[in-house]
Amino acid sequence: MRRVITYGTYDLLHYGHIELLRRAKQHGDYLIVALSTDEFNKLKNKKSYYNYEQRKMMLESIRYVDLVIPENNWEQKTDDVLNYKVDTFLMGHDWEGEFDFLKDHCEVIYLKRTEGISTTQIKKELYGNE
């Protein structure tokens, strides 16, 4: 069984998120999503519309997602890859090169993001800011 992991906040869930998860699942049999906790988002100066439990519930209802785990800090990625026996680490292309240090433990893939949609764009259009 090939295991894939990806990370994110997944606030204001949209078709770009679904497309990323669908494409991530194509790289393996079991997709793990590490979801940023509310506390970690505060450290990143991010504010989510939905809290962690609500975002987790939405992700768990998506057929491509097999397991949702909390992302508590930047440093946990290596431990997650090892503890969950991950074969492929996958992120959006805007993170290109940032996680190459994981190549010692698994395959690292940066997928092109879905054009024309982002949470930042939605927030700007709805609220006039991020």
Side-chain angles (χ1 to χ4, degrees), residues 1 10 13 18 22 26 33 36 39 44 46 52 67 82 84 86 88 94-95 104 113 120 126:
M1 177 185 324
Y10 295 94
L13 196 64
I18 303 301
R22 183 188 68 77
Q26 291 176 341
V33 177
S36 298
E39 295 77 19
K44 296 188 290 183
K46 278 187 159 186
Y52 174 82
L67 178 65
L82 296 174
Y84 291 95
V86 169
T88 303
D94 52 330
W95 289 96
D104 292 340
R113 289 195 178 267
T120 301
L126 289 175

Side-chain angles (χ1 to χ4, degrees), residues 20-21 30 33 40 45 50 79 88 102 112:
L20 176 70
L21 296 170
Y30 191 84
V33 177
F40 186 41
N45 293 317
Y50 295 107
D79 286 340
T88 303
L102 292 170
K112 187 167 174 21

